[in-house]
Amino acid sequence: MPPRSWDIFCTVIDNYGDIGVAWRLARRLAHDHGHAVRLWVDDLASFGHIAPGLDPALPRQTLAGIDIRRWPPSGFPAGIVPADAVIEAFGCRLPDSFEAAMAAQAVKPAWINLEYLSAEDWTLSHHKLPSPHPRLPLTKHFFFPGFDAASGGLICEDGLMAARAAWQADDAAQNDYWLRRGLPPRIPGDLRVSLFAYRNPAAATLLRAWADGPQPVRCLAPEGKVLPDVAGLLGRALKAGDHARLGNLDVHVLPLSDQDDYDRLLWGCDLNCVRGEDSLVRSQWAARPMLWHIYPQDDDAHIAKLDAFLNQYCAGLPAEMAAALQALNLAWNRDGDIAAAWREAAPWLPAWREHASNWQQRLLKDGDLATRLLHFIAEIG
């Protein structure tokens, strides 16, 4: 029987990525499927940056119809009755007392380890695998998000594609958005770019290429880890609300916003530089060219993950275009010759935009992550 209630557990690792995914999944299940969702988070202060209505001082509160609880580092609350389905976001370890409470249920909850997003082939062979508990009568199943029809898919709300297409076709709505965020409206011929990345020395090189280039570029950078690299190029400290100009480049530093406003930022730009997992997925739904800064790992393990994604993303493209897009993403992640890579990729932007639109339609052909997850739980139920 499909679940009607959920417990989602999330530990905040890199400030926004993990909780961003957990929050989107919670909203998807609650708003589009009408399920009761309880979200356990260990760092409400970081959570509050992407959910402005949240009060980090309250250990229990309701936001957007979702029951939000602080997950204490010790002394998990007694007497909590587990929901029909329990999600461990990205392998976070459930409290022992909660596992015991799950085992005590007459009907055991569906227990899912929601893994990190990857396009690597090995994830498909591990997707949906069971993992029996060593002591308790419980079985956990691994669920891998992905870009393949055989994977767990990606989170996407009902009606999102129609809302995005309508907004992108509405000049007045876009101008209102830019004005509300303290930005000028679009002007013919400018390139509007969002910049959200980890620390990245290639950022200053790419921005310098834009500053020296023939086309006006307006770079919109939400507060984040890449700002010191941008500040080094501009020779001044940067904070939310700042605007700086260098040659043909205008840089605007934006305060962090809620997830809906971030979506609109992606929808309104010609190129989106994104990082980690949540913003990568949202850039797919924007149907715009994107540059992914993948989370760096030891021994360049992240490059294998990047290559796996790019192989899927570029499949079927003209060879020259695919090579340009792959080289640009690799230079961005390896501090390569990003200026030269940009010069090769820039002429492909119109075709790249068309590809981005076709790609997001393909990703949703077999349903989004929540839909696939519900089907899977019904299978094992």
Side-chain angles (χ1 to χ4, degrees), residues 49 65 81 184 210 258 278 321 339 368:
H49 287 300
V81 178
W210 288 337
D258 64 19
D278 183 55
M321 178 180 174
D368 89 312

mmCIF file of all heavy atoms in Angstrom, residues 49 65 81 184 210 258 278 321 339 368:
data_model
loop_
_atom_site.group_PDB
_atom_site.id
_atom_site.type_symbol
_atom_site.label_atom_id
_atom_site.label_comp_id
_atom_site.label_asym_id
_atom_site.label_seq_id
_atom_site.Cartn_x
_atom_site.Cartn_y
_atom_site.Cartn_z
ATOM 1 N N HIS A 49 18.340 29.866 5.335
ATOM 2 C CA HIS A 49 18.786 30.698 4.221
ATOM 3 C C HIS A 49 17.985 30.434 2.952
ATOM 4 O O HIS A 49 17.838 31.318 2.110
ATOM 5 C CB HIS A 49 20.273 30.466 3.949
ATOM 6 C CG HIS A 49 21.182 31.071 4.970
ATOM 7 N ND1 HIS A 49 21.215 32.426 5.234
ATOM 8 C CD2 HIS A 49 22.082 30.505 5.809
ATOM 9 C CE1 HIS A 49 22.104 32.669 6.187
ATOM 10 N NE2 HIS A 49 22.638 31.528 6.557
ATOM 11 N N GLY A 65 3.103 23.794 5.216
ATOM 12 C CA GLY A 65 2.356 22.582 5.481
ATOM 13 C C GLY A 65 3.196 21.389 5.887
ATOM 14 O O GLY A 65 2.683 20.267 5.984
ATOM 15 N N VAL A 81 6.501 8.182 16.847
ATOM 16 C CA VAL A 81 6.002 7.060 16.046
ATOM 17 C C VAL A 81 6.441 7.273 14.596
ATOM 18 O O VAL A 81 6.093 8.288 13.988
ATOM 19 C CB VAL A 81 4.471 6.953 16.127
ATOM 20 C CG1 VAL A 81 3.977 5.809 15.242
ATOM 21 C CG2 VAL A 81 4.027 6.745 17.570
ATOM 22 N N PRO A 184 18.697 45.678 -13.263
ATOM 23 C CA PRO A 184 18.100 46.349 -14.414
ATOM 24 C C PRO A 184 17.424 45.339 -15.334
ATOM 25 O O PRO A 184 17.784 44.144 -15.328
ATOM 26 C CB PRO A 184 19.301 47.000 -15.101
ATOM 27 C CG PRO A 184 20.461 46.139 -14.722
ATOM 28 C CD PRO A 184 20.168 45.656 -13.330
ATOM 29 N N TRP A 210 35.160 37.584 -20.091
ATOM 30 C CA TRP A 210 33.918 38.315 -20.384
ATOM 31 C C TRP A 210 34.158 39.823 -20.364
ATOM 32 O O TRP A 210 33.635 40.552 -21.201
ATOM 33 C CB TRP A 210 32.842 37.937 -19.375
ATOM 34 C CG TRP A 210 32.308 36.544 -19.564
ATOM 35 C CD1 TRP A 210 32.337 35.810 -20.708
ATOM 36 C CD2 TRP A 210 31.678 35.722 -18.570
ATOM 37 N NE1 TRP A 210 31.749 34.578 -20.505
ATOM 38 C CE2 TRP A 210 31.330 34.499 -19.206
ATOM 39 C CE3 TRP A 210 31.368 35.896 -17.223
ATOM 40 C CZ2 TRP A 210 30.689 33.459 -18.532
ATOM 41 C CZ3 TRP A 210 30.719 34.871 -16.548
ATOM 42 C CH2 TRP A 210 30.391 33.665 -17.192
ATOM 43 N N ASP A 258 14.880 32.324 -1.488
ATOM 44 C CA ASP A 258 14.224 31.029 -1.346
ATOM 45 C C ASP A 258 14.339 30.263 -2.662
ATOM 46 O O ASP A 258 14.823 30.774 -3.676
ATOM 47 C CB ASP A 258 12.773 31.177 -0.894
ATOM 48 C CG ASP A 258 11.893 31.898 -1.911
ATOM 49 O OD1 ASP A 258 12.259 31.983 -3.094
ATOM 50 O OD2 ASP A 258 10.821 32.388 -1.515
ATOM 51 N N ASP A 278 21.560 20.110 -6.020
ATOM 52 C CA ASP A 278 20.239 20.731 -6.140
ATOM 53 C C ASP A 278 20.211 21.761 -7.261
ATOM 54 O O ASP A 278 19.302 21.757 -8.102
ATOM 55 C CB ASP A 278 19.836 21.380 -4.815
ATOM 56 C CG ASP A 278 18.434 21.984 -4.875
ATOM 57 O OD1 ASP A 278 17.494 21.248 -5.222
ATOM 58 O OD2 ASP A 278 18.286 23.181 -4.600
ATOM 59 N N MET A 321 30.196 20.335 -31.366
ATOM 60 C CA MET A 321 29.470 20.972 -30.268
ATOM 61 C C MET A 321 29.672 20.208 -28.964
ATOM 62 O O MET A 321 29.940 20.799 -27.908
ATOM 63 C CB MET A 321 27.978 21.043 -30.604
ATOM 64 C CG MET A 321 27.113 21.648 -29.514
ATOM 65 S SD MET A 321 25.367 21.677 -30.001
ATOM 66 C CE MET A 321 24.603 22.267 -28.477
ATOM 67 N N ALA A 339 39.224 30.451 -20.687
ATOM 68 C CA ALA A 339 38.973 31.517 -21.661
ATOM 69 C C ALA A 339 38.912 30.951 -23.077
ATOM 70 O O ALA A 339 38.009 31.282 -23.860
ATOM 71 C CB ALA A 339 40.047 32.593 -21.554
ATOM 72 N N ASP A 368 9.215 11.750 -12.564
ATOM 73 C CA ASP A 368 10.250 12.363 -11.733
ATOM 74 C C ASP A 368 10.607 11.447 -10.563
ATOM 75 O O ASP A 368 10.067 10.335 -10.434
ATOM 76 C CB ASP A 368 9.787 13.747 -11.245
ATOM 77 C CG ASP A 368 9.019 13.687 -9.937
ATOM 78 O OD1 ASP A 368 8.106 12.840 -9.824
ATOM 79 O OD2 ASP A 368 9.347 14.456 -9.027
#
